Amino acid sequence: SASASASATTAAASTSAAAVTSPKSPTGTGASANLTKLELKGPKHKFVDADFNLLSRMLKRAPLTSLNLSRALKPIQGNSSMLGWALRGNVHLTHLNLNNNGLLATGIGHVADALQRNRTLLWLEVAGNRMGCTGAKAIGTLLLQSDTITALDISDNDLNGAFMMESFTASSPRRASGWPTPTATRPTST
């Protein structure tokens, strides 16, 4: 019902200092069926199962194209798998910001797995999640599967540069499309 959708949108917005944008209501009071942008960023929100259930329903029902959960997830065991579960059904997201959530390699793996089914995502931000090389490999696999992601932020993740070059370029279909093969530049001795 429309009132249930409106109360769900209000509930999501009231749990955190959320900015919600809807094409029919720029003030954020419209029904979730019109919601295109949702920001639940900030360190004060602590997602629980009910929040992930609401987020999953919103991602499946609303034409949500931008989701910002930067610093919104506490590093609680199970949060990353619930986040992956919530992201699975979305077919509209073009921008996803999960910066600074402490997702680690396991969480990034859940997210990357869920996003392999998304054919609209253009911009993925996963900076500051301490993913390490294992998480970077999951993101590399996602990039091999995706032909839509054009912007990626993986800064501040304790990554090894040589491993990154290998993970993101080895057998990349983009190389066959004319992308140059990266080469390491070594200082010359004089």
Side-chain angles (χ1 to χ4, degrees):
S1 76
S3 65
S5 294
S7 65
T9 303
T10 304
S14 66
T15 58
S16 160
V20 180
T21 305
S22 170
K24 291 186 180 177
S25 176
T27 60
T29 58
S32 66
N34 300 318
L35 192 66
T36 60
K37 180 178 181 180
L38 178 62
E39 294 194 12
L40 289 171
K41 61 185 177 181
K44 296 186 181 192
H45 188 70
K46 187 175 184 180
F47 268 67
V48 295
D49 288 353
D51 294 319
F52 286 112
N53 288 333
L54 176 61
L55 180 61
S56 177
R57 286 194 312 268
M58 290 177 77
L59 286 168
K60 288 178 180 146
R61 294 180 183 160
L64 196 62
T65 58
S66 180
L67 177 61
N68 185 343
L69 297 175
S70 178
R71 298 183 329 247
L73 304 176
K74 299 294 181 188
I76 299 170
Q77 188 171 358
N79 261 3
S80 60
S81 62
M82 292 293 289
L83 176 61
W85 172 80
L87 290 169
R88 279 194 197 283
N90 182 270
V91 294
H92 300 288
L93 272 183
T94 59
H95 178 219
L96 178 60
N97 183 337
L98 298 173
N99 287 344
N100 303 305
N101 279 304
L103 293 174
L104 306 174
T106 303
I108 292 297
H110 290 300
V111 169
D113 183 54
L115 292 177
Q116 286 184 11
R117 292 157 187 81
N118 181 301
R119 297 292 177 240
T120 58
L121 191 66
L122 301 172
W123 183 7
L124 177 62
E125 296 181 75
V126 289
N129 278 295
R130 301 186 320 250
M131 73 169 87
C133 292
T134 303
K137 190 171 183 177
I139 295 293
T141 300
L142 170 63
L143 290 176
L144 289 173
Q145 300 295 319
S146 173
D147 57 356
T148 59
I149 296 175
T150 58
L152 174 66
D153 183 357
I154 55 171
S155 57
D156 297 325
N157 272 300
D158 303 321
L159 303 174
N160 175 308
F163 179 84
M164 295 303 301
M165 293 298 283
E166 179 182 326
S167 293
F168 290 112
T169 59
S171 53
S172 171
R174 292 180 177 141
R175 184 182 304 160
S177 302
W179 283 35
T181 302
T183 56
T185 304
R186 298 175 195 251
T188 57
S189 57
T190 54

